[in-house]
Amino acid sequence: MADTSVAGNIPASGRRSRIAGVGGYLPEKIVTNADLTRIVDTSDEWITARTGIKQRHLAGSHETAAFMGAQAAAAALAQAGVAAASVDAIILATATPDEAFPATAVRVQALLGITTGFAFDISAACSGFIYALSVADSLIRGGTASRVLVIGSEVYSRILDWQDRTTCVLFGDGAGAVLLQAAPAGGAGILSTHLHANGAYGDMLYVDGAVGQRDRPGTVVMKGQEVFRHAVSKLSAAVDEALEANGLTHADIDWLVPHQANLRIIDAMGRRLSLPPERVVITVDRHANTSAASVPLALAEAVNDGRIQPGHLVLMEALGGGLTWGSALARF
Ligand code: COA
């Protein structure tokens, strides 16, 4: 995957962006479903049957969104063979930033030893990575940047109500990153991104507080069944939209890299696309839902273990609080 071409030399008129490196970071501590039965009234059978989740990684005190994001970003840079100093921008999607400001992306920038360019966070819950990828792709195609680190990094363990069995069993912590860089139009790269939001559904999945609300940091609140229904219908429409926009069909897709919220939603999407299960990248069993980190973590796993190969067409999709949702289609 190493790319030694000088991304900045490709004129804006003939550019697209391509994923030149991927990386992931998972906290050391693993918590199984059986472990959770000691905290809330639940069972491995219930969690497995309803979600497909068997375990999740939970962050230690030093494993913040910035720390994990920097680890994942460093791995993506190393895979791309790109020096940190040549990165033009860092876009980090998170709902669990280290601080209200500076942006966690700026903390990552410092951890990577980068002192130039720009860095900012994106808040779009579980769709955050797709949103960040879309913005980064636009910056590269428009000529504003040539190399952008796109990161999803989350520590949901800090915003969960550990007494609420309906939410605390569903999430995990982690970070994933890609290095997106300018590439000649017509070759490998991001073919399209499509973003959506509808705030009318804001109360379906949200955190009931924030640092701006004194004494109310907030925890995750979710109407699970309603989110489930919207996830299947909206993501199905998003997938059709992405394929139509590129004149492609379900049969053209080599890999589906879906947001990892629930195995039943993922299975429904795979069936909708007529993709055999072995063409769908699944990490939810081991990572649970890592929100904005879930798609780049799954992508990194499938690239690193050799499943995703040069030339493959990869469809990424996600839905999250907002509601926000979207897709990204990439040729590797
Ligand atoms: N362990 C055991 N029982 C549990 C439980 C748990 N962790 N959580 C809920 N239950 C119980 C409920 O209390 C309910 O019991 P009752 O029938 O006695 O009231 C029963 O299980 C069924 O709950 P329900 O909410 O109807 O289950 P479900 O089949 O809808 O599954 C979700 C719940 C959350 C797994 C499912 O709705 C879901 O995955 N939704 C989408 C969530 C999602 O994708 N969120 C992230 C989007 S980014």
Side-chain angles (χ1 to χ4, degrees), residues 8 26 48 57 86 103 111 123 136 138 162 215 261 265 278 307 315 322 330:
L26 289 160
T48 303
H57 292 248
S86 70
L111 287 169
S123 171
S138 298
W162 286 99
D215 303 326
I265 298 175
E278 58 273 17
R307 275 178 286 172
L315 178 63

Side-chain angles (χ1 to χ4, degrees), residues 40-43 46-47 50-51 126 165-167 169-171 205 222-228 231 259 261-262 264-265 289 319-321:
V40 285
D41 179 15
T42 190
S43 65
W46 191 95
I47 301 172
R50 304 284 174 134
T51 71
C126 297
R165 68 177 183 172
T166 69
T167 52
V169 304
L170 303 175
F171 295 91
L205 173 54
M222 181 173 70
K223 294 176 183 154
Q225 285 189 354
E226 287 179 49
V227 174
F228 193 105
H259 173 46
N262 184 313
R264 289 187 292 150
I265 298 175
N289 181 350
L319 175 137

